[in-house]
Amino acid sequence: MEQQLQLLKEEALKKIQDASTVKELNDVRVAYLGKKGPITDLLKGMGKLPAEERPKMGALVNVVREAVTESLETRMTLLEEEAINVQLEKEAIDVTLPGRPIQTGNHHPLTRVVEEIEDFFISMGYEIAEGPEVEKDYYNFEALNLPKGHPARDMQDSFYISEEVLLRTHTSPVQARTMEAKGGEAIKIICPGKVYRRDNDDATHSHQFTQIEGLVVGENIKMSDLKGTLDLFAKKMFGAEREIRLRPSFFPFTEPSVEMDISCFKCGGDGCNVCKKTGWIEILGAGMVHPNVLRMAGYDPSAVTGFAFGMGPERIAMLKYGVEDIRHFYTNDIRFISQFHRSEA
Amino acid sequence: MLVSTKWLNEYVNIKGIKPEDLAERITRSGIEVDSIIDRSHGMTNVVVGYVKECVKHPEADKLNICQVDVGEETTQIICGAPNVAQGQKVIVARPGAVLPGGMKIKKAKLRGEESNGMICSLQELGIEGKLVAKAYAEGIYVLPQDTIPGENALPLLGLDDTVLEFDLTPNRSDALSMLGVAYEVGAILSQGIALPKIEYKESEEKAEDVLKLRVDATTDNPMYVAKVVKNIKVAESPLWLQNYLMAAGVRPHNNVVDITNYVLMEYGQPLHAFDYDRLETGEIVVRHAEEGEMITTLDDVERKLNQHNLVITNGSEPVAIAGVMGGANSEVHDGTTTVVIESAYFAPSSVRRTSKEVGLRSDASTRFEKGVDPNRVQEAAERAAQLMAELAGGEVLSGSVTFDELDKTAERITISPDYINNRLGMKISMDDMLAILERLRIPTEAVNGQLVIDAPTRRQDLKIKEDIIEEIARMYGYDEIPKTLPVSESTPGGLTPYQAKRRIVRQYLEGAGLYQAITYSLTSKEHAQEYALETAPVTQLLMPMSEDRSTLRQSLIPHLLEATTYNVARRIDSVALYETGSVFLGEEEDGLPREVEHVAAVLTGKWVDHAWQGETKKVDFFVAKGIVEGMMERLGLAEGLSFEKASITGMHPGRTANILLKGERIGLIGQIHPTEQKKRDLKETYVMELNLEHILSVDTEELLYSPVPRFPSISRDIALVVESETSAGILETIIRQAGGKLLKDVKLFDLYEGENVENGKKSLAFSLTYFDPERTLTDEEVVKAHEKVLKALTVEADAQLRG
Ligand SMILES: [Zn+2]
């Protein structure tokens, strides 16, 4: 019986090695270890043995069974692995094929610039004020120290709807309206929006364009506060290395009035085509709010002062992104707009 | 304003300062120098020549063979100018010269004859044709006889000069004169300036004996000075005077006219010269024109005047439009012997209005419009009289004929140094301030720690304290201002809920695949009301630049369609654009149209484009609708949103809907009418437009979490057949109403019409989800609820249940 057992073991181990698929191996398992298999038969036959041999034989059968089981499992692991490998190979794909596109659009470049500016000033505690694009002559001009017949009105030829109503030529009327509404309170706002001037559309002019103006009114607002604010703004928008300079200028609603230049972000100030060899780029106009403007809005110019500034997002976008023709902003060519898809930190 | 540095140097010493440096300093302290023009253009080898002999070229009609003495030799030059003649002194560009524009002068042969250089016109030396005196406009320039052959011609012609072009802001009209510029440059350089010395001999005859003056319009003309100069010999001006005028952009005419223009440029005071004899009456009357009165101006244009135009008359008829242009009838001509010099103060508003109306802007009108210096009116007349005596041989009658009610007092401004420093955020000492004002020649006294300033009338821009602050700051230097930030109670800042939600809408639409467009608000009257959500009158411009941009839009769709056509024409077949912007509705009581912010979108072409995996999908109504639904859901407005079939002009009658929020119409959606599509070269195109202001102004409920379900939900499907016209929306409403509170969700998952379904009917399948957050539903409860739904569908929609 011992011999029989040994033969059985060798036969089983051989069949295990010969099995080449999981199924074949399972058949071997059933054949040898199943309820109807020879090992079970042997164990069943043990009853015929003398009582003293039974423990020894029992142990022997168990050893054989364990050996077969172990071999089976090893073989099974191997075959399963092979089977998986075959399956995986079948499932292989060309990873260079294009992915399913997630189609998203993006901001118009002007909105991108406007929101960047808005977010900077919001972080400085400003609110965003908006107003009508069709405006009264009073808010567009008169409340801004531009009475009828003022020579500076020539500077901004306007689209009139009637004697007293026109398409606003700047977003400053929002400042006048805000001051009037705030009735003497301190103010910190920026006013973005569309504006209109009687210009023929060409590479540098557009009859419709955008503007962002800022206004701070309160006790003790100084010209140095304006300079400090603009300096931070320039560094945020155009890079930490930017320097600013102020040049005297003229706007009817501010006095003193200045233009702000930033050191050229392309050449760093050495002179290049962007800065027209000067090292400086004109970015915005600003100044201290004219006392007449404060007075007309119900503020007492001897008690409060303010500063204001205004800039053109088109110009900033043109400088930042190297856009050469302002008309690109209004043709809505998808090949243009989609170039501003990517985010910039 | 063109400023010749050569001319400027007569008043302030700028020798030794490079024009670039001077320009930079002027720009930094207040007046922007736009460009620096080197009038020599780097020319060399341009000399005076004497035409010793001039004969016709035997082979060419239009050419002359000239023997020209150029100093070191006499050389042959072929000249094609019609006005070249023997005995002339001319400008010769010798071989080796390079003229502006790049022409290189070489020895050459012209039709067999040698030519060693070129006899030049002024244009060939870089002077604009419109500045060349008429006599030389069509040919070579002829120099005065006292020039010496071989002499460098550039200094003679004033071309050894650099001109600074000022871009003047409207407040700095003081710099519209050489003297004004001299004051400014003198202040910048801390230098004194030399004013012209006015000295001349007067004759015994008095001006008032030969000329009478009456001013009827004293508001528009508060000061009028007339001087009379006799025995004038009208001729060409001396070269230096012509050179200065050309450098300043003024064309020389004759000595009398040139002198008035010279004084205009020097003092900023426009003058006019009348031929005394042509006045005929010995009288000048300043008055407003009569309605319809006519005058022929110097440019030979007959102009019709109206009642507010100020005119100079001879007592009966106009001889000039005051401050704008003289009349042809009293013009100085070659035979003029007696001249009336007019120097006046015309009210800026009057000149501005008239100049606009008659469409004439001149060097004179631009200065009057800004207000000339009241204290220079008399002086400028004297200066002109002096020059007419010196340069035209005139005899100046004594005195002036004057009308004068003009206020010439200086504005007094009292300001404390603290006030200045507080506004600037600086600490400039009083002494420094006084020094700056001294440099600017602004008379100032320090009284009790205050600056008491008498602003000179030449500086019309100095009126209030802030103007003085600017003077101090710009001369002290803006670079010296420190950088600080406003100190105020800190404000939180931020977007209003409306602004924040508008950003959400933009982000949503971009996330959904649309690009943001920005189109024009102005459109044609014809298109202004297309696709408008509301009916309202249009808002039109008084003076549009073109019919295409004459009227404010009432819908964003037309321009979005235009942008789509633009893209499609450039082979971008799939277009997805949106815009947020205002539309302009009619006229409100307030006088302003109502501006309403809308959001609109346009979609055409493919929506999903992933062909290699078989996934491509054309844009259709439901793509557009899904975008609207998603947007409203994002805004918390999904509930109450509904769509109802609509018929709208320009839209596909079967594929268009109104968008409703709680029953109120807030927008439209659908396909563009195929005829419209064809007109615009578009294929199937869908649009939507919603009243953004309405949507963003709706108060939404606060966002509150509801517990994640702990109990399972149960689904039941319904398949039914209904009449084709029965809308899915109605069926869904019936199901929801009948389903009661256990019914949580209804989803259409199949729609079929055609084979196996009776004609005129359609089959739909819905999946219904039942759920109770408190417990697990029993089968009986679900069956009960579901049966109610089935019954309702049968009764209310005449539905046949299937399967
Ligand atoms: Zn640069």
Side-chain angles (χ1 to χ4, degrees):
Chain A
M1 187 153 172
E2 233 182 289
Q3 213 178 358
Q4 204 185 340
L5 207 58
Q6 204 53 43
L7 271 175
L8 195 68
K9 179 183 159 191
E10 274 161 29
E11 187 188 288
L13 290 180
K14 184 167 184 305
K15 288 216 169 138
I16 288 168
Q17 288 314 309
D18 288 349
S20 64
T21 67
V22 173
K23 187 178 177 300
E24 276 175 40
L25 194 60
N26 272 328
D27 290 346
V28 176
R29 181 202 305 272
V30 174
Y32 286 87
L33 299 177
K35 279 183 182 152
K36 288 174 186 166
I39 292 176
T40 314
D41 283 351
L42 275 174
L43 284 171
K44 278 182 193 158
M46 282 242 287
K48 293 171 195 163
L49 290 175
E52 66 276 16
E53 282 184 36
R54 278 183 210 163
K56 191 186 158 207
M57 271 315 288
L60 215 56
V61 171
N62 274 333
V63 167
V64 169
R65 187 163 64 183
E66 270 161 32
V68 171
T69 307
E70 200 192 308
S71 166
L72 246 166
E73 276 167 7
T74 314
R75 183 71 185 158
M76 184 59 90
T77 312
L78 194 82
L79 287 179
E80 274 173 355
E81 229 167 72
E82 272 173 19
I84 285 171
N85 284 343
V86 169
Q87 175 70 21
L88 290 181
E89 211 162 298
K90 262 197 246 163
E91 286 172 4
I93 53 165
D94 177 358
V95 297
T96 66
L97 283 166
R100 188 186 189 284
I102 304 299
Q103 171 64 40
T104 58
N106 54 258
H107 275 11
H108 189 283
L110 291 176
T111 307
R112 186 184 171 109
V113 167
V114 168
E115 286 192 0
E116 193 178 343
I117 296 170
E118 285 178 353
D119 291 343
F120 167 77
F121 282 104
I122 286 170
S123 77
M124 303 274 289
Y126 288 63
E127 286 172 2
I128 296 173
E130 294 173 280
E133 293 170 31
V134 179
E135 194 41 286
K136 294 183 177 173
D137 185 273
Y138 175 77
Y139 289 111
N140 194 75
F141 288 129
E142 283 175 56
L144 298 166
N145 200 30
L146 277 148
K148 288 215 165 75
H150 189 287
R153 281 196 183 203
D154 294 350
M155 280 162 75
Q156 24 200 336
D157 252 0
S158 337
F159 288 120
Y160 274 89
I161 305 282
S162 68
E163 280 280 291
E164 295 302 329
V165 176
L166 73 161
L167 303 192
R168 67 179 177 194
T169 57
H170 45 193
T171 54
S172 316
V174 182
Q175 302 185 353
R177 284 175 175 271
T178 306
M179 280 194 276
E180 203 180 83
K182 291 261 184 176
E185 279 172 49
I187 294 175
K188 249 172 123 176
I189 52 165
I190 60 163
C191 318
K194 294 180 181 132
V195 299
Y196 306 84
R197 288 192 197 167
R198 246 174 146 272
D199 271 326
N200 279 309
D201 296 339
D202 61 26
T204 52
H205 297 86
S206 181
H207 75 276
Q208 173 181 324
F209 57 103
T210 49
Q211 226 184 29
I212 296 188
E213 299 199 316
L215 173 73
V216 175
V217 176
E219 279 172 30
N220 258 318
I221 301 295
K222 306 182 290 290
M223 190 129 178
S224 57
D225 297 334
L226 169 64
K227 193 172 174 184
T229 301
L230 295 181
D231 185 58
L232 281 182
F233 166 72
K235 288 176 162 62
K236 168 75 175 78
M237 282 303 282
F238 297 100
E241 329 68 77
R242 295 285 73 73
E243 292 298 328
I244 64 161
R245 71 173 194 186
L246 303 181
R247 275 183 295 110
S249 188
F250 171 75
F251 308 106
F253 27 88
T254 50
E255 186 69 37
S257 302
V258 292
E259 308 242 23
M260 182 189 85
D261 299 337
I262 59 167
S263 56
C264 180
F265 47 79
K266 193 172 175 201
C267 65
D270 299 337
C272 68
N273 58 335
V274 171
C275 58
K276 297 187 190 111
K277 312 264 181 244
T278 63
W280 295 94
I281 301 172
E282 190 181 314
I283 292 294
L284 55 78
M288 300 302 290
V289 181
H290 196 288
N292 288 354
V293 173
L294 290 170
R295 210 172 287 124
M296 263 184 284
Y299 285 74
D300 174 5
S302 64
V304 296
T305 47
F307 65 72
F309 53 85
M311 62 191 111
E314 277 88 350
R315 175 165 171 77
I316 292 175
M318 287 170 95
L319 287 167
K320 257 184 102 118
Y321 305 121
V323 178
E324 78 297 347
D325 190 326
I326 197 169
R327 286 169 294 197
H328 284 311
F329 295 116
Y330 295 97
T331 37
N332 297 299
D333 190 322
I334 288 179
R335 295 165 302 179
F336 175 73
I337 302 175
S338 62
Q339 290 182 38
F340 301 90
H341 196 268
R342 104 168 212 238
S343 310
E344 268 179 320
Chain B
M1 175 78 184
L2 298 170
V3 178
S4 151
T5 53
K6 206 171 171 182
W7 190 355
L8 182 61
N9 195 59
E10 302 212 358
Y11 314 109
V12 57
N13 183 5
I14 52 168
K15 284 224 167 80
I17 303 172
K18 280 202 288 182
E20 292 74 23
D21 296 341
L22 183 62
E24 172 72 8
R25 294 186 68 175
I26 294 171
T27 296
R28 292 304 310 278
S29 54
I31 294 171
E32 192 172 347
V33 177
D34 230 15
S35 56
I36 301 169
I37 305 149
D38 174 9
R39 295 195 74 210
S40 80
H41 299 279
M43 284 181 282
T44 53
N45 283 342
V46 178
V47 300
V48 176
Y50 173 65
V51 184
K52 289 168 102 173
E53 191 189 305
C54 178
V55 296
K56 284 258 171 275
H57 192 298
E59 305 290 323
D61 262 6
K62 289 184 175 163
L63 295 182
N64 300 290
I65 303 172
C66 306
Q67 305 304 322
V68 184
D69 173 3
V70 291
E72 53 195 17
E73 59 173 339
T74 295
T75 187
Q76 175 168 306
I77 298 175
I78 310 297
C79 179
N83 62 334
V84 66
Q86 186 184 337
Q88 283 172 338
K89 292 279 176 66
V90 295
I91 308 161
V92 176
R94 310 219 47 205
V98 180
L99 300 183
M103 186 201 256
K104 289 188 183 109
I105 305 300
K106 287 181 218 142
K107 290 191 179 194
K109 268 194 176 173
L110 282 167
R111 301 266 177 124
E113 290 292 340
E114 217 172 77
S115 182
N116 300 319
M118 182 166 92
I119 303 180
C120 299
S121 67
L122 288 183
Q123 288 92 323
E124 280 156 342
L125 301 184
I127 294 174
E128 270 185 277
K130 65 174 186 192
L131 298 181
V132 176
K134 277 192 183 131
Y136 309 113
E138 304 296 331
I140 55 158
Y141 190 66
V142 182
L143 291 166
Q145 278 302 333
D146 59 2
T147 48
I148 303 152
E151 193 184 353
N152 185 353
L154 296 185
L156 279 177
L157 295 164
L159 295 177
D160 56 340
D161 189 8
T162 303
V163 169
L164 306 181
E165 188 179 4
F166 286 7
D167 182 8
L168 287 175
T169 51
N171 59 325
R172 291 305 303 274
S173 56
D174 61 297
L176 281 170
S177 66
M178 292 305 291
L179 287 176
V181 174
Y183 277 106
E184 177 78 6
V185 171
I188 293 167
L189 303 177
S190 297
Q191 275 203 26
I193 64 169
L195 297 171
K197 282 197 186 64
I198 302 175
E199 290 166 342
Y200 60 88
K201 229 175 75 194
E202 288 185 333
S203 73
E204 289 191 1
E205 197 176 359
K206 286 183 181 159
E208 57 189 34
D209 291 342
V210 299
L211 187 72
K212 286 194 185 58
L213 169 69
R214 195 176 85 230
V215 176
D216 290 343
T218 57
T219 310
D220 282 350
N221 180 26
M223 182 172 182
Y224 195 103
V225 176
K227 293 194 79 78
V228 182
V229 186
K230 277 192 168 172
N231 296 327
I232 291 260
K233 278 167 277 305
V234 175
E236 232 178 82
S237 298
L239 213 43
W240 65 265
L241 178 49
Q242 296 193 45
N243 293 342
Y244 280 167
L245 289 182
M246 285 190 281
V250 177
R251 179 182 219 166
H253 291 274
N254 57 48
N255 48 9
V256 172
V257 173
D258 291 353
I259 286 167
T260 60
N261 283 330
Y262 178 83
V263 177
L264 160 77
M265 288 296 164
E266 190 176 43
Y267 281 82
Q269 169 65 48
L271 303 177
H272 187 66
F274 296 103
D275 181 317
Y276 176 85
D277 297 314
R278 283 183 161 191
L279 278 179
E280 287 174 348
T281 57
E283 185 182 12
I284 282 178
V285 175
V286 187
R287 60 161 168 88
H288 286 115
E290 280 153 32
E291 193 68 42
E293 204 169 0
M294 306 295 291
I295 180 172
T296 303
T297 41
L298 285 174
D299 52 2
D300 284 327
V301 179
E302 194 175 29
R303 296 171 194 275
K304 196 175 186 178
L305 302 168
N306 62 41
Q307 284 176 347
H308 52 256
N309 299 141
L310 190 67
V311 287
I312 315 299
T313 71
N314 63 357
S316 58
E317 56 172 356
V319 292
I321 305 175
V324 177
M325 198 180 256
N329 52 4
S330 59
E331 188 180 4
V332 171
H333 61 110
D334 289 349
T336 298
T337 56
T338 305
V339 164
V340 177
I341 303 169
E342 164 199 289
S343 183
Y345 186 98
F346 298 122
S349 54
S350 164
V351 175
R352 187 173 314 116
R353 188 167 177 188
T354 298
S355 130
K356 222 175 208 168
E357 278 171 5
V358 300
L360 269 176
R361 296 203 83 210
S362 56
D363 283 328
S365 72
T366 51
R367 282 164 180 81
F368 281 125
E369 281 179 16
K370 302 208 159 118
V372 297
D373 179 359
N375 283 306
R376 278 189 191 151
V377 178
Q378 181 73 42
E379 197 179 331
E382 305 295 347
R383 175 69 164 158
Q386 171 197 17
L387 292 172
M388 286 195 198
E390 282 174 11
L391 307 176
E395 203 181 298
V396 185
L397 303 199
S398 69
S400 315
V401 186
T402 303
F403 168 81
D404 187 5
E405 289 184 354
L406 184 59
D407 177 10
K408 301 185 202 63
T409 50
E411 198 86 36
R412 174 156 291 189
I413 303 166
T414 305
I415 186 171
S416 74
D418 277 354
Y419 188 93
I420 296 173
N421 280 324
N422 286 343
R423 294 293 191 279
L424 293 173
M426 298 177 82
K427 294 191 178 70
I428 307 174
S429 73
M430 183 151 178
D431 284 348
D432 284 348
M433 292 182 187
L434 284 166
I436 286 169
L437 293 165
E438 165 73 25
R439 273 160 59 196
L440 287 161
R441 290 171 201 280
I442 296 174
T444 309
E445 268 186 81
V447 180
N448 299 331
Q450 302 259 343
L451 303 168
V452 180
I453 293 159
D454 285 322
T457 50
R458 64 185 153 81
R459 290 292 305 273
Q460 302 271 317
D461 58 324
L462 305 183
K463 294 238 158 36
I464 58 170
K465 291 176 183 177
E466 281 66 23
D467 298 326
I468 300 301
I469 296 177
E470 180 163 58
E471 292 304 293
I472 303 280
R474 72 184 183 96
M475 297 313 286
Y476 197 83
Y478 282 130
D479 288 348
E480 306 303 319
I481 299 181
K483 292 168 193 162
T484 58
L485 288 176
V487 182
S488 56
E489 69 243 71
S490 75
T491 43
L495 300 168
T496 62
Y498 183 97
Q499 291 161 347
K501 284 196 268 182
R502 178 170 49 205
R503 283 198 181 186
I504 289 167
V505 166
R506 287 179 181 156
Q507 275 156 11
Y508 167 79
L509 291 171
E510 286 160 20
L514 287 84
Y515 291 99
Q516 188 192 13
I518 299 179
T519 65
Y520 293 137
S521 305
L522 286 169
T523 184
S524 65
K525 184 169 185 237
E526 190 193 344
H527 295 303
Q529 288 171 303
E530 280 176 355
Y531 302 107
L533 288 179
E534 291 181 55
T535 312
V538 292
T539 310
Q540 281 178 280
L541 302 182
L542 281 181
M543 288 195 314
M545 299 181 73
S546 70
E547 165 48 30
D548 281 353
R549 305 266 175 264
S550 64
T551 310
L552 284 162
R553 63 180 174 190
Q554 297 196 341
S555 162
L556 310 183
I557 290 173
H559 280 166
L560 281 177
L561 287 174
E562 214 171 85
T564 308
T565 303
Y566 178 95
N567 279 289
V568 168
R570 281 153 189 80
R571 308 197 156 269
I572 303 151
D573 300 326
S574 299
V575 177
L577 289 170
Y578 82 94
E579 178 170 18
T580 58
S582 290
V583 301
F584 304 82
L585 303 168
E587 209 177 318
E588 291 280 281
E589 318 81 60
D590 203 18
L592 297 181
R594 192 155 53 90
E595 283 181 45
V596 187
E597 190 168 25
H598 280 194
V599 58
V602 59
L603 299 162
T604 192
K606 288 192 188 109
W607 183 242
V608 179
D609 187 5
H610 187 54
W612 75 267
Q613 286 190 303
E615 266 191 282
T616 49
K617 177 162 180 17
K618 268 181 22 183
V619 169
D620 65 18
F621 180 86
F622 300 101
V623 166
K625 183 176 176 185
I627 291 170
V628 173
E629 288 172 327
M631 180 177 86
M632 296 299 274
E633 197 273 332
R634 180 69 65 89
L635 292 167
L637 298 172
E639 226 161 289
L641 177 70
S642 61
F643 295 78
E644 66 176 22
K645 200 171 169 187
S647 153
I648 292 167
T649 315
M651 299 292 287
H652 189 304
R655 295 182 176 180
T656 296
N658 284 324
I659 306 172
L660 310 175
L661 186 61
K662 298 210 159 69
E664 203 174 327
R665 181 168 184 251
I666 56 161
L668 66 86
I669 182 169
Q671 189 190 331
I672 296 295
H673 196 289
T675 342
E676 281 295 315
Q677 286 176 176
K678 209 171 157 201
K679 247 200 269 174
R680 298 171 191 270
D681 288 320
L682 293 174
K683 297 202 177 116
E684 204 172 317
T685 301
Y686 291 86
V687 294
M688 62 180 91
E689 177 151 343
L690 291 94
N691 181 328
L692 188 64
E693 217 159 290
H694 184 123
I695 298 168
L696 300 189
S697 307
V698 174
D699 284 329
T700 47
E701 275 171 43
E702 218 173 309
L703 178 64
L704 276 179
Y705 141 97
S706 51
V708 174
R710 283 184 296 144
F711 303 98
S713 60
I714 294 172
S715 288
R716 290 279 183 280
D717 292 350
I718 302 176
L720 43 85
V721 173
V722 291
E723 298 289 330
S724 284
E725 296 84 63
T726 311
S727 76
I730 297 250
L731 296 173
E732 194 182 322
T733 310
I734 294 170
I735 293 171
R736 283 194 187 274
Q737 275 167 1
K741 65 180 187 358
L742 292 183
L743 179 62
K744 283 294 160 252
D745 198 19
V746 182
K747 214 172 223 152
L748 176 79
F749 70 89
D750 191 45
L751 172 66
Y752 181 75
E753 252 170 309
E755 234 181 292
N756 300 328
V757 178
E758 209 181 311
N759 232 355
K761 306 240 171 180
K762 64 181 172 187
S763 143
L764 300 98
F766 291 93
S767 173
L768 282 60
T769 305
Y770 295 95
F771 170 68
D772 187 325
E774 304 298 327
R775 65 209 163 81
T776 305
L777 288 174
T778 64
D779 256 0
E780 296 84 71
E781 286 171 308
V782 174
V783 167
K784 209 174 137 198
H786 199 61
E787 255 158 21
K788 261 177 87 180
V789 171
L790 298 178
K791 194 172 167 208
L793 284 169
T794 325
V795 175
E796 292 173 40
D798 196 17
Q800 297 161 246
L801 303 175
R802 300 177 111 207

